Amino acid sequence: MIYNAPVKEIRFVLNELAELTSVCSLPGYEDCSVELVDAILEEAAKFAEGVLAPINKQGDKGATLNDGEVTAAPGFKDAWQQYVESGWVGLRAPADFGGQGMPALVAIAAEEMWCSANLAFSLAPLLTLGAVEAIHHHASEELKAVYLPRMSSGEWTGTMNLTEPQAGSDLAQVRSRAVPQADGSYLVTGQKIFITWGEHDMADNIVHLVLARLPDAPAGVKGISLFIVPKFLVNADGSLGARNDVRCVSLEHKLGIHGSPTAVMSFGDNGGAVGYLVGEANKGLGYMFTMMNHARLGVGVEGMSVSERAYQKAVEYARDRVQSRAVGSPDPAGVAIIKHPDIRRMLMTMRSQIEAQRALAFYTAAALDRASRHPVASEAARNQALVNFLIPIVKGWNTEQANELTSLAVQVHGGMGFIEETGVAQYYRDARITAIYEGTTGIQALDLIGRKTFSEGGATARALLDEARATAEKLAAAGYASMASNLQQAAAEAERCVAFILGTFGTQPQLAAAGSVPFLKLMGIVLGGWQLGRAALIAREQLGEDGVDEDFLKAKIITARFFAEHMLPQVGGLAAAIVDGADSVLELDDSLF
Amino acid sequence: MIYNAPVKEIRFVLNELAELTSVCSLPGYEDCSVELVDAILEEAAKFAEGVLAPINKQGDKGATLNDGEVTAAPGFKDAWQQYVESGWVGLRAPADFGGQGMPALVAIAAEEMWCSANLAFSLAPLLTLGAVEAIHHHASEELKAVYLPRMSSGEWTGTMNLTEPQAGSDLAQVRSRAVPQADGSYLVTGQKIFITWGEHDMADNIVHLVLARLPDAPAGVKGISLFIVPKFLVNADGSLGARNDVRCVSLEHKLGIHGSPTAVMSFGDNGGAVGYLVGEANKGLGYMFTMMNHARLGVGVEGMSVSERAYQKAVEYARDRVQSRAVGSPDPAGVAIIKHPDIRRMLMTMRSQIEAQRALAFYTAAALDRASRHPVASEAARNQALVNFLIPIVKGWNTEQANELTSLAVQVHGGMGFIEETGVAQYYRDARITAIYEGTTGIQALDLIGRKTFSEGGATARALLDEARATAEKLAAAGYASMASNLQQAAAEAERCVAFILGTFGTQPQLAAAGSVPFLKLMGIVLGGWQLGRAALIAREQLGEDGVDEDFLKAKIITARFFAEHMLPQVGGLAAAIVDGADSVLELDDSLF
C-alpha cells in the first residue's frame, strides 16, 4: 500500500497560497525559511512513505488490552521510537522547552503527510502536542519544567480526558471529581471514555489532561478545572515513581482507526489518582479552548489526508485495471478504467476537493500563525477573526467530504473495493471518525453561525466573500469564464445566506440552526473555489516562466475549472435549502418521526 | 436492535402510489387481493421483526469456512428453516412449480422488510429467486421439474456464478469452460469470485448457475452459455447423489454483509463439475438479462431497506439521548437531541429520501407486473419502457443515497456511532456493497443514458417528466407552492439534461457519459419528488375522510415538503455539471492524476 507524499503540491500551496515567506518573517519564526521548510518536507515525506505508510494496514488489526496494559499494533512501537529519534514530535512544540517552535503552517504540512500515511499512528503525536499546548499556555513553570521537555521529545505522550459516558460533547455534565490534598496535589476520581491513545506501551509515561470538578465548584461549565494526571508519578529528580491510580478498563471496538487504542479510563478506583491543577480552579474549559483551534484544524487536515491517500489508491487501481471497451469505441478490447468518463469524474471530484481543502486548511494555518505573532495588533486581530471563522469550516467541510471522497475511492475499485484486503475500505472506515470527534459537524456549524457569523455581524464572512469576488474578477480578466461566473454566483448565494443568518439568529435561532450544516458546506465550497481560483491565476502566471513544471501547472488549472463547474453550482441548492427550507426541518412533531 | 416494519407506510405506497388493486386485476394475479396482501404484509413483518432482525448483529461475526464447508453465522440455519417452513421463499416463484406466483409488487414489499431486518440473510432467498427466474424462463421442462420445486420451497438454494478474477463486470472476458459429454451433460471448469451464498450449510443442496464457454464458442459475450451445476448431483428418483466437483476455496473478508458468505468457487479441480446447459448454447448472457431487472430493482430496495433500518435506529437514539440545551434557550438543562435542528435536518433528510425511494421502487415493481401481464399490448409495452428507464435509477439512486443516509445515521449517534457495539456502523458497512454489485452505479448510469434514453429518443424520460409537471400543477392548485415550483423547476432542468444527452450521445458519447451518474441522481431526485408530490396530494384528499390516521397523513405532507425544499433544489447544480462540465471531466491527461 504505497503512499507518495504530494510534496510538490504541498510546496505550491505553502509558498503561493499560504505565503510561507511572510509567515517566516513573523517575530519568533526567524529560524524558519523556505529552504529549511523544503528540507523538513522532504524528510517528513520520507518518514511518512518509508516508516508510517507500510504499517498502516497492519495497524488495522488493532491494539490489544491485557490486564490493564495495552500493546500497540504490530510495528507501532518501533515506528514511534524512530519518530521520536527523528525529533518529529516537537516540530511545533515551544522552543523554550525543547521543541523546534515551527509555525503552525509548517507543522500542518508535515502532519498532513503523517495522517495520510497512518492516521491511527499520527493521533498519538497530535494528542501529545495538544496537551503540550495546554500545559505551555496555562500550567505553572514548575509543571512545565517537569512535563514539557519530555512530552516535546516524545519520551512521554499526552492525552485529553474530556468525555464521560453521560456527557458526550456537553461538558457542562462532567462529573469527575478532584479533592485537594495537603501537599497541594489533588485526588482525582471518575470515568472517562473515548480516550485516544489513553493507554499503550510506546512511551515510558502517559500524561493525561483531565477535566474534573473541585468539591466546591459551581455547576455547569464554570465549575470545571483541568488537571495533569500522569500514568507514573514523577519523582523530584525527574525519574519515574509509583504507578498512579489510573487505568484502562477497556478498549473500544471501533469502525476504523483500529491502530489507535481508544480507551475507557478509570481514575481513582483505589482511592484517587494524584493530579496537579493546571492554572486556576474552575477555568478548565477556557484552557481547553486554547488548544481547540489547532486541534480542530488538525482534524480537518486528517479528513483531507485520508481522502488524499484514498485518491492515490484509486488512481493507481484505475490505471492498472483493464475492463470494458472505451465508451463509444467500436474496438471491443478492454481499456484501463481511468479512460472511462465516470471513473475520471470520480477521480476529479476527489482531486479537486482535496486541493481545495488543502489550500483552505493551509491558508487557515498561516492565519493562525499571524494571529499569534503579527506585530501589528490590527493585523493580528484580523487574522484571529479569519481563524475563528475558517476553523469550523475546515474542520466540518473537509471531514464531511472525507466520507464522500473515500467512498468514491471504494467505488472506483468496484467489487474489489468491498474486500478488506484491497485496503481502500480501511480509508473509508478510518475517515468516518473525523466528522465526529473534536466536535461533530453539527457543533462546528452552530459555532460558525453563532459566535463566528452572527456575533460579529457577518464581518469576516463578508470580507472573505469580497476576496472571492475580487478573485472572480481576475479570473474573468484572465479568460477563465466558467470559473469567474460560477464563483461570482456562488458568492452571491453565500451573501444571501449570511443575510438570512444575521436576520434570524438573534430572534429565531432555530431557523438559522436548521440550515447551519448546509451553510458550513456552502462556505467550504465557495471558499474552496476561491482558493482554487487563486491557484489557477498563479499557475497561469508561472506558466510563462522558465524552468517550471508545465504539466503540474496545467493540471492545477484544469482541476480548478472542474471544481468551478461541478462543485460551485451545488451552492444554489444549498442556499435554497438554508433560506427557504428551515420551516420544514422543524415542522414534524417529535413523535411522528 | 429493534426493527419496526413500516407496514402502514408500505400499505400506503402499495395501495395509493403503486395501485395494487389494478395489479391484482392483471391476468394470472386473480388470487391476489388487497386483503390477502395485507395478511402477507403482517406476517412478513412479524417474521422480519421476530426472526430476522434479532440475528442481524450476530450475523456480522460472519460465516466460517473449514475444509471447503461453510457454516453459516450463528442462528442463520435455524432462521432459514423457519423461513422455508413459512413458505416465504416461493412468494414470487412461479405457481406451476410450487411457488405462490405473487406479483413483483407484493414480493418487493415483503423483501423490503426482510432486507431491513437482515440484509445478509435476505441475499440467500434473493439469489435463489433469481436462479428460479432464469431456470423457469429458459431451461428445459426436465430441468425445471428437477430444480424448480425444491428451489421454490427453499429446500435448495441458488447462486449466480458470473464474475471471474480477470473480468469484473466485463462478461466478455469470461474464461470458464464447459465440455459436452456423451450423456448430454457438460464438464465445467474454471474459477468464479464474489459468489454470494456460494457455499453454506443451511440447505441440502446448492444450485449454481454458471456462465461458461463451449469449446467452439465465439469470443466475447456472444460465446457465453448458462449452466446448472448442482453441489450434489440429483439422481433419477430425485434423491441427492454424488458430491459434484465444485467447491468453495475461500471466503472473502469484506467491509460488510459479513453474515452472507462470499465465496471463491472452483469448478472442476478433479476433472470437471457436471453441469446442464440451460436453453441454447451461446445465449447465456441474454438469459442473465432476464433476471437482471428484478435483481437490480431488488438491490435498489436493499439500499433503501438498510437506510430505513438505520433511520429507525437514529430516531430511537435521538429520542433517548439527552445532550446540550435547546438552541436559543436560556434553560441550561439538556434536551433530547431530536430537539436540535441539525439532528432533525438529518432525520428528515433520511426520512424523505427513503419515502421517495420506496415510492419509486414500488411504482417500478408495479410497472414490471404490468409489463409482463397487461392484456393490452401497447400498455404492456409502455410499462416495459417505464421499467427499462426506471430500473437503473432505482438501483443507482437508492444505493448511492444509502451510503449517505446510513452515514447520517452514524452521525446522529455522535461518538457512539463509531463504536461497533452500537450497531449503526454495521448498517453503514452493509449498505456500501449495494452501489457496487449487480452493476455499479457507473454501469447503471451508462445503461440509463444509452439504451434507456438516447436509443428511444428520450421518449420515456419525457413522458415521466410530463407526469411530474402535471403533478406540479395539481400541487400548485392545492396551495403547495414550494412543492409545485420546485418540482416544475427541477423538471425543466431535467429536460435540459435529456436534450444534452440526446444531442451528444450519438456523436460524442464521452461527453454524455461524463455526466451520466449526475444525470442518474438528478432523475432520482426529480422522480422521487414527483412521487412524494403525488403522495402529498393523496394524503391531503384523505385528510377529509373519516377514520383516517391524521398524524400519518400530515407527516406525509411535511415530509414531501421537506424533500421539495431540500432535495429538489440540488437538481440545478447537477444539471449545470452535466451540461456545462463535461469537458473538465475529460481534460486532464491520464498521467497527471
Side-chain angles (χ1 to χ4, degrees), chain B residues 31 68 74-75 104 112 135 145 179 187 195 202 212 238 347 367 369 382 389 406 425 438 448 479 481 532 538 542 583:
Chain B
D31 291 349
E112 170 189 332
I135 294 171
V179 179
L187 281 183
I195 309 308
M202 302 199 305
L347 296 177
D369 289 322
R382 192 182 69 83
F389 188 80
T406 56
E438 206 56 46
L448 178 66
L532 290 190
I538 292 164
Q542 291 188 350
D583 280 333

Side-chain angles (χ1 to χ4, degrees), chain B residues 491-515:
Chain B
E493 294 284 359
E495 282 284 357
R496 201 159 77 91
C497 296
V498 170
F500 175 79
I501 289 164
L502 296 178
T504 52
F505 191 86
T507 51
Q508 296 167 284
Q510 299 258 339
L511 291 182

